[in-house]
Amino acid sequence: MTLNKFNLPDVGEGLTEAEIVSWKVKPGDAVAINDVICEIETAKSIVELPSPFAGTVSELLVEEGVTVDVGTAIISVSDEVSGDPTPADVRAPEPPAQPLYGKLPVDGAEEPTAAGSGSSPANAPLVGSGPKADAVKRRPRKNAPAASVTVNAPEVEPVQPRTPAEVTGSETAAVDNRPTLGGTITGLVNRVLAKPPVRKIARDLGIDLADVVATGSRGEVTREDLVSYQAQRDAELDKADGFWGKAGKPQDQRIERIPVKGVRKATAKAMVESAFAAPHVSIFVDVDASRTMEFVKRLKASRDFEGIRVSPLLILAKAVIWAAARNPSVNASWVDNGDGSAEIQVKHFMNLGIAAATPRGLMVPNIKNAQDLSLKELALALNNLATTARAGKTQPAEMQGGTLTVTNIGALGIDTGTPIINPGEVAIVAFGTIKQKPWVLDGEVIPRWITTLGGSFDHRVVDGDLSARFMADVAAILEEPALLLD
């Protein structure tokens, strides 16, 4: 018997330590190669560690909640499988994958009889599958016998005769309501999966299904997921009610001490380095975003964006990309060389960082090569980024290599702020809340949708003139999104 020890690997660039969050196995369990054995929390995210060995878990060498250095042995696995090769030790064969859109009948295949079709007729239409092969309706010949039918034609139930006006009206409605192929696929792929009873419960409780981490076997939100999410919300309210400690206790006994580690530790270090290494300068601009709000409303109603969450943040992200191309030095880095010299590295690509507040702290994952994405692709990327960050599944690679960051403080109802630049970058844009305010337009005071943009810049790279022109360009897109078509 050989005993293999698994050392904590470097799962991210420059990782030096990690905390064992939870073990997924225990001594005596049989594991196969690539089975998940534990979750670790690095300075950037929670990562699942797969087993590099197959065999039986001999010992867990590190307890949960303990932080260890890279290279430390955390588990030992023997190469023998404990017990007899019972079904518990051997993985059950995976069921055959079911096709997403069903299967079309093979040409020439015999049609099943009514007795063998079960409760579901063979020719029943399948939503999203498209027309059956050779199931094309043709105008019947005048002299054709009544019993003559096409081999693959679907069964048609007898209907009552309709007037020509009714026929014309129904055909027109069918053409108008037919979704585009892009809209159908987008809705199937991007819509949150959940059964109708679960959707009803979510509506009754006022829960947005996109905020719930899905644990169903097919990625759907289950009733248990809603119960867990609601319990978490209730617990937060209960904590608020009982937050203040008992008045009879001394104050030094009513202090909660929270260890600084993981994401919080990394964020604190990065912010201190940025604040004191890069001389910050901040500027602000008020923007009439009324046309952006109208544009977002049209996108939400568009069949091409069906099933995709669209918000003004999408337009701002596109505006930042557009403005950076016109003012390239905001998409750059200041690099100190070892010989005492320095250089400015202008990036001819955009890895757009989106600051995300998560239960584990602030994260800034970025969208790689955002400049190459269409508006729809960028919307999908933003949705995926938010869902992954909220679920705590953001990978270290997704948080490296950012070139410019956006922070959406308006989602919390804040007007503006002075954000700290993400290390390795020279600019960050704060997007304030959008609300109706009195605005002078063509000499008249009328209510308009107004927001405030705040930008912080590294003054070593971005001068006042450049920062002003960049912010003016971003504001111009929010005021008139049609400029993106130029």
Side-chain angles (χ1 to χ4, degrees), residues 67-104:
T67 300
V68 294
D69 295 331
V70 169
T72 303
I74 60 174
I75 188 174
S76 59
V77 179
S78 66
D79 58 2
E80 292 184 356
V81 178
S82 61
D84 298 328
T86 60
D89 296 321
V90 181
R91 285 188 170 186
E94 301 223 352
Q98 296 296 327
L100 180 59
Y101 300 112
K103 292 184 178 180
L104 297 178

Side-chain angles (χ1 to χ4, degrees), residues 124 136 138 157 220 265 275 323 364 384-385 408 425 430 452:
V136 180
R138 293 182 173 84
E157 297 181 1
E220 74 275 14
K265 182 178 179 180
V364 190
N384 181 66
L385 180 147
N408 185 19
E425 303 172 13
T452 301

Side-chain angles (χ1 to χ4, degrees), residues 164-174:
E166 292 174 336
V167 174
T168 305
S170 63
E171 289 178 353
T172 303

Side-chain angles (χ1 to χ4, degrees), residues 2-23:
T2 303
L3 196 62
N4 302 301
K5 290 189 176 182
F6 178 33
N7 298 333
L8 178 66
D10 180 1
V11 296
E13 183 179 349
L15 176 66
T16 59
E17 63 181 17
E19 176 189 346
I20 305 298
V21 175
S22 64
W23 285 105

Side-chain angles (χ1 to χ4, degrees), residues 20 36 69 78 85 101 107 113 153 190-191 193 202 215 241 244 247 283 289 332 351 357 397 433 439 455 460 465:
I20 305 298
V36 175
D69 295 331
S78 66
Y101 300 112
D107 292 344
T113 62
N190 296 290
R191 189 182 181 193
L193 296 177
T215 62
D241 293 338
W244 305 114
I283 60 175
N351 291 344
T433 187
W439 191 260
R460 295 173 299 179
D465 174 67

Side-chain angles (χ1 to χ4, degrees), residues 186 190-191 210 305-311 313-314 354 367 376-390:
T186 299
N190 296 290
R191 189 182 181 193
F305 281 78
E306 182 182 354
I308 303 177
R309 297 186 68 183
V310 179
S311 72
L313 178 62
L314 170 63
I354 305 294
I367 300 171
K376 181 178 179 179
E377 291 169 337
L378 186 59
L380 290 171
L382 287 170
N383 287 353
N384 181 66
L385 180 147
T387 302
T388 304
R390 196 179 295 117

Side-chain angles (χ1 to χ4, degrees), residues 207 212-213 215 222-235:
I207 297 175
V212 182
V213 178
T215 62
T222 65
R223 187 189 300 266
E224 289 73 20
D225 296 334
L226 288 182
V227 172
S228 176
Y229 182 85
Q230 182 64 22
Q232 181 180 355
R233 293 205 309 187
D234 292 342

